[in-house]
Amino acid sequence: MPNINEVTTLDITNEVAVITLNSPPVNALSANVREGLNEGVSSAINDESVKSIVIICEGRTFIAGADITEFGQAPKGPSLYEVQDTIENSPKPVIAAIHGTALGGGLEVALTCHYRIAVPSSKCGLPEVNLGLLPGAGGTQRLPRIVGAAKALVMMTSGEHVPAEQCLSMGLVDEMAKEDSLLEDALVFAQKIVSEKRPLVKVRDAEDKIAADKGNNALFADFRKSIARKTRGFLAPEYNIQCIEAAVNKPFEEGLKIEQELFMKLMTGTQSAAQRYMFFAQRQVTKIPDIEPDTEVKDINSVGVIGAGTMGGGISMNFANVGIPVTIIEQSQERLDKGLGIIRKNYENSAARGRITEAQVEERMNLIDGKTSIEALDTQDMIIEAVFENMDLKKDIFKQLDGICKEGAILATNTSALDVNVIAAETNRPEDVIGLHFFSPANVMRLLEIVRGDKTSKSVVASSLAVAKKIQKIAAVVGVCPGFVGNRILAQRQREANKLILEGALPWDIDDALFDFGFPMGPFAMSDLAGLDIGWSKDTSKGESLRDVLCEAGRLGQKSGKGFYIYDENRNKSPDPEVEALIKKFGEERQIKMRDVGKEEILERCLYPMINEGFKILEEGMAIRASDIDIVWTNGYGWPVYEGGPMFYGNTIGFDKVLFWLKKAELELGPEFKPSAYLEKVVTEEINIF
Ligand code: 3H9
């Protein structure tokens, strides 16, 4: 079998040239792969014994896209466009044989082939949007020509991986292969194309799927409206739409030019840099330096959850969703019934929205068993305690669990701030104790902080990571410190937001600044949603904080129709002059001087201390790497992905600038702004923390 290069082979069987790519892990279009493809197809074209050409991949997948690690580097080898030209202009039919995923540049290569055959389990997609990009190798012009503008809009703005059968029905795939015989079926298909003298189909020339939408501006206007909320702040979805508009309304070559122009704009911008960084951050976060790949991972086939409240219920749903039976413990039958009722209602809401079937509602409910005695937790592989944040209560529960749970069971606490080591010390098996901090609503939010105690065993950490993956969470391993990574950083923003409203910024000024930055909600709208009276009591309130004053005035948040804002019957919020007056009075009584606070100052005051806290967390070893902090904030707290999380954002601003600002703020505003020693070191020694 002649080798084209180290990642490509060319083999001729029954007049069909088979070009096989083998570039693990995902056959990305690196310089080597592009060279191999180009040379392979060219030699097959020049070989007179060859009548048709099949492109196929070894390993887990067809080409999964351009090689993202090559972005920003000097170009090497043939460009992707050259390769595509060679394929598309081949005088012999070229067939892409797809398994795994044909994504991004991979699908764009397949779209320059004359035909595509795929196995049922394979998927096709143009997910560039999720990297803050658009398909830059003709995909924006070819996809609409093969599936129509409406489907292309959905595929390219969502980045979804479309299952093969669906691809077949929309014309993206021409032929299905059997799951285990892709090569054989591709060979037969290639020979059939030749014997039936089928045309060399060039997707670029196809007009029938887009003809009807020429000049149909409403299609695009309506689509923009339909995704506006979800894509607020992101540039890439809009640019993808503009390319599809061009595909529909302009000749192919003109459309390609627009694609190139917009691709370059995105590629050189901060948003795509942030999103590409997040792509790798997400793959790094589960790699724990001192936990070797062969560390024992325990099977988790049953789970116990203590507490059927909002957290306990949401946590239980995660496990039932993937077929793991859950035993939920509550103190009384009444509370248990209430909790189980809420779970059922959540599932029924999902069924009503068509996300799951009625049968699945029953299947999942059948996996959840309620009990009123903690003694029922004697057989489960993992126990998750999700009771109130009260140390004495948690200590007591862990002491009991130690006596009840089977040997080797993982004992987890869902605390959001308490000391996991203290909880672990209540047991004779601290190595089995770990923190699993879910975020509310736990059945929806993707983040999980895995809190590694001083004595937690490696196997328990590795097993928790494996379980997290199974229940589709994005898990970050963090150390034991008050608030862990997420809430510890949140406390900085909260403190400054609370101070700023006494200095002259109104709650809605702060919320608007953070909303415009890209957060889904500002801190005051968030407090209203959660309820201002969480942890507040009428009997003990002394009117010392603004919160006391608001709660005493019956402003408890959304549930009472007013909090920092006033709400209408549909829970739409508006600024309230009464709150403005209360704040003014509160500030005056404490002789706090009011002044004009601008948007830029709000952002600096709220965000820079968060970056500083991130550095303190790294300094103390409470997060493994800077990008883990960004994973926590983008997945658990709504930090906009296109700003890459607090650490990436700090770098975009310039850590030197952040340090300078903090030093000034320390002098002018107080010691809470004191810069972290690690930040100082990073700036003076020009250390790259990423
Ligand atoms: C593009 O194509 C632009 C073009 O339109 C225009 C060009 C002009 N490059 O996810 P996994 C690595 S943009 C380099 O854990 P899975 C990944 O980092 C691209 N490396 O596996 C990881 O490395 P490590 C459009 C890549 O089985 C390893 O492969 N395409 C790339 O769960 C395994 O990855 C995409 O956006 C890449 N393109 O999922 C697809 N892809 O082991 C991106 C992966 O060192 N990729 N790696 O941590 C994916 O969605 C998933 O990787 C895939 C496999 C579904 C393929």
Side-chain angles (χ1 to χ4, degrees):
M1 193 188 294
N3 269 324
I4 298 291
N5 66 11
E6 61 261 48
V7 296
T8 322
T9 56
L10 172 63
D11 178 34
I12 299 167
T13 317
N14 298 335
E15 302 182 326
V16 185
V18 177
I19 297 166
T20 308
L21 300 171
N22 188 6
S23 179
V26 294
N27 291 308
L29 289 158
S30 61
N32 258 349
V33 170
R34 295 196 301 272
E35 182 196 71
L37 259 180
N38 209 32
E39 291 194 9
V41 176
S42 302
S43 357
I45 292 171
N46 293 329
D47 186 328
E48 284 187 2
S49 71
V50 169
K51 294 273 184 328
S52 60
I53 304 162
V54 166
I55 299 174
I56 195 164
C57 292
E58 286 282 348
R60 68 219 241 198
T61 179
F62 189 76
I63 307 166
D67 186 341
I68 312 170
T69 57
E70 269 187 6
F71 287 175
Q73 290 179 17
K76 255 190 353 199
S79 72
L80 189 49
Y81 317 106
E82 264 177 87
V83 180
Q84 289 178 301
D85 278 349
T86 309
I87 297 172
E88 200 165 47
N89 296 325
S90 158
K92 301 170 183 178
V94 185
I95 296 110
I98 300 170
H99 78 291
T101 45
L103 299 177
L107 182 58
E108 290 176 294
V109 165
L111 283 171
T112 53
C113 294
H114 306 109
Y115 295 92
R116 288 151 295 280
I117 180 169
V119 295
S121 64
S122 65
K123 290 179 176 170
C124 296
L126 291 176
E128 284 86 344
V129 71
N130 296 327
L131 299 169
L133 292 172
L134 53 84
T140 67
Q141 303 305 296
R142 288 191 181 87
L143 187 71
R145 283 179 163 80
I146 197 164
V147 302
K151 289 198 174 87
L153 282 167
V154 174
M155 274 180 77
M156 282 165 50
T157 56
S158 69
E160 67 180 326
H161 301 180
V162 181
E165 292 285 358
Q166 229 172 300
C167 293
L168 180 74
S169 67
M170 58 167 90
L172 188 50
V173 161
D174 303 289
E175 184 89 1
M176 294 301 288
K178 283 194 282 307
E179 195 60 50
D180 302 322
S181 55
L182 178 60
L183 178 59
E184 292 84 339
D185 294 356
L187 288 171
V188 171
F189 184 48
Q191 286 165 312
K192 195 163 96 177
I193 287 165
V194 173
S195 67
E196 290 178 1
K197 297 196 174 54
R198 291 211 205 166
L200 297 172
V201 181
K202 287 191 188 177
V203 176
R204 59 182 285 152
D205 296 334
E207 286 288 322
D208 56 319
K209 289 273 178 73
I210 49 172
D213 285 325
K214 278 195 198 305
N216 182 359
N217 296 338
L219 170 73
F220 295 98
D222 291 348
F223 187 76
R224 282 189 170 95
K225 252 190 241 152
S226 74
I227 61 162
R229 228 182 115 185
K230 229 167 102 187
T231 58
R232 184 178 71 91
F234 287 91
L235 289 176
E238 170 57 25
Y239 284 18
N240 271 278
I241 296 174
Q242 287 179 20
C243 287
I244 302 171
E245 264 178 320
V248 169
N249 295 315
K250 294 186 192 296
F252 183 81
E253 289 297 337
E254 259 182 67
L256 264 193
K257 269 197 204 127
I258 292 173
E259 176 189 282
Q260 270 314 293
E261 208 178 288
L262 295 180
F263 179 79
M264 284 319 291
K265 269 197 191 167
L266 290 174
M267 183 61 137
T268 49
T270 324
Q271 288 206 353
S272 176
Q275 289 180 258
R276 281 179 274 136
Y277 158 81
M278 289 311 308
F279 176 85
F280 289 112
Q282 226 182 83
R283 279 149 186 84
Q284 269 227 301
V285 68
T286 48
K287 294 177 183 149
I288 314 303
D290 68 326
I291 297 187
E292 301 75 26
D294 59 353
T295 305
E296 187 210 348
V297 173
K298 297 168 188 254
D299 283 337
I300 307 295
N301 295 318
S302 56
V303 169
V305 173
I306 307 174
T310 315
M311 276 323 277
I315 292 170
S316 303
M317 289 173 75
N318 284 299
F319 292 96
N321 292 350
V322 296
I324 298 178
V326 185
T327 307
I328 309 193
I329 307 295
E330 249 307 346
Q331 281 172 319
S332 67
Q333 193 60 43
E334 196 191 339
R335 280 190 185 197
L336 190 57
D337 292 344
K338 191 174 167 213
L340 292 174
I342 292 171
I343 295 177
R344 174 173 281 282
K345 207 161 155 227
N346 282 337
Y347 278 139
E348 277 168 359
N349 284 341
S350 297
R353 291 202 188 101
R355 293 200 187 124
I356 56 172
T357 61
E358 287 296 340
Q360 279 172 316
V361 174
E362 296 314 318
E363 261 168 44
R364 294 177 192 194
M365 284 310 296
N366 284 339
L367 284 167
I368 303 177
D369 184 21
K371 288 273 183 318
T372 50
S373 163
I374 196 168
E375 305 286 333
L377 298 181
D378 56 344
T379 58
Q380 292 75 1
D381 298 321
M382 177 181 248
I383 313 296
I384 305 172
E385 163 278 306
V387 303
F388 299 117
E389 283 290 79
N390 176 314
M391 184 53 113
D392 288 339
L393 179 59
K394 290 193 192 256
K395 276 162 84 169
D396 179 51
I397 287 174
F398 274 75
K399 199 174 224 148
Q400 291 187 57
L401 288 176
D402 193 26
I404 297 166
C405 298
K406 71 173 184 186
E407 196 183 312
I410 295 178
L411 310 183
T413 168
N414 174 51
T415 179
S416 59
L418 299 177
D419 190 331
V420 174
N421 292 327
V422 172
I423 296 172
E426 290 300 308
T427 71
N428 290 309
R429 38 173 141 173
E431 67 282 2
D432 291 337
V433 178
I434 196 160
L436 292 182
H437 178 204
F438 289 81
F439 289 73
S440 190
N443 52 318
V444 177
M445 295 293 288
R446 291 208 66 202
L447 180 67
L448 179 69
E449 279 183 324
I450 296 186
V451 190
R452 185 179 186 174
D454 291 347
K455 296 194 175 153
T456 310
S457 76
K458 290 182 183 183
S459 164
V460 167
V461 177
S463 308
S464 300
L465 280 164
V467 162
K469 188 168 177 196
K470 183 145 194 198
I471 61 172
Q472 287 150 25
K473 297 289 174 202
I474 295 174
V477 174
V478 302
V480 178
C481 59
F484 313 127
V485 167
N487 283 345
R488 181 170 161 178
I489 291 179
L490 178 66
Q492 296 292 317
R493 190 183 80 178
Q494 202 62 42
R495 185 196 63 224
E496 288 312 306
N498 287 338
K499 273 163 47 186
L500 277 168
I501 55 172
L502 301 180
E503 292 173 30
L506 289 163
W508 30 95
D509 296 333
I510 294 173
D511 281 355
D512 287 352
L514 290 165
F515 180 79
D516 291 347
F517 178 79
F519 282 102
M521 202 183 269
F524 298 103
M526 188 62 140
S527 301
D528 274 1
L529 180 66
L532 297 186
D533 58 337
I534 293 181
W536 177 85
S537 145
K538 205 174 184 170
D539 303 333
T540 51
S541 178
K542 294 190 188 122
E544 278 172 356
S545 67
L546 186 60
R547 188 206 22 190
D548 284 353
V549 172
L550 291 170
C551 287
E552 283 169 18
R555 309 189 70 104
L556 306 181
Q558 275 196 25
K559 59 184 167 190
S560 64
K562 50 188 184 170
F564 282 103
Y565 293 86
I566 186 154
Y567 294 85
D568 68 13
E569 60 285 1
N570 297 320
R571 294 204 169 193
N572 292 317
K573 64 179 186 331
S574 321
D576 189 350
E578 200 180 302
V579 170
E580 207 173 321
L582 279 174
I583 295 174
K584 208 163 165 230
K585 184 163 169 270
F586 185 88
E588 276 168 5
E589 281 166 7
R590 283 153 187 82
Q591 287 157 5
I592 301 169
K593 233 176 104 197
M594 292 262 187
R595 62 193 170 82
D596 276 344
V597 182
K599 192 168 163 181
E600 195 183 342
E601 184 181 351
I602 291 173
L603 288 181
E604 288 171 345
R605 280 278 297 273
C606 289
L607 304 183
Y608 288 10
M610 298 169 76
I611 301 165
N612 194 31
E613 198 63 26
F615 273 98
K616 290 183 187 167
I617 284 169
L618 289 174
E619 192 176 307
E620 294 166 26
M622 294 298 151
I624 295 168
R625 42 182 98 77
S627 61
D628 288 9
I629 296 177
D630 289 337
I631 284 287
V632 167
W633 263 80
T634 48
N635 288 290
Y637 296 82
W639 188 292
V641 174
Y642 56 76
E643 294 285 5
M647 307 312 282
F648 183 91
Y649 176 68
N651 194 33
T652 310
I653 303 282
F655 288 137
D656 53 346
K657 191 173 164 219
V658 175
L659 177 64
F660 180 79
W661 185 93
L662 286 166
K663 283 184 171 168
K664 196 160 161 275
E666 185 189 4
L667 288 176
E668 290 170 6
L669 300 168
E672 61 273 36
F673 294 95
K674 185 176 166 46
S676 122
Y678 185 47
L679 170 59
E680 295 238 23
K681 189 176 156 80
V682 162
V683 172
T684 20
E685 296 177 23
E686 294 182 21
I687 298 170
N688 178 6
I689 62 162
F690 296 106

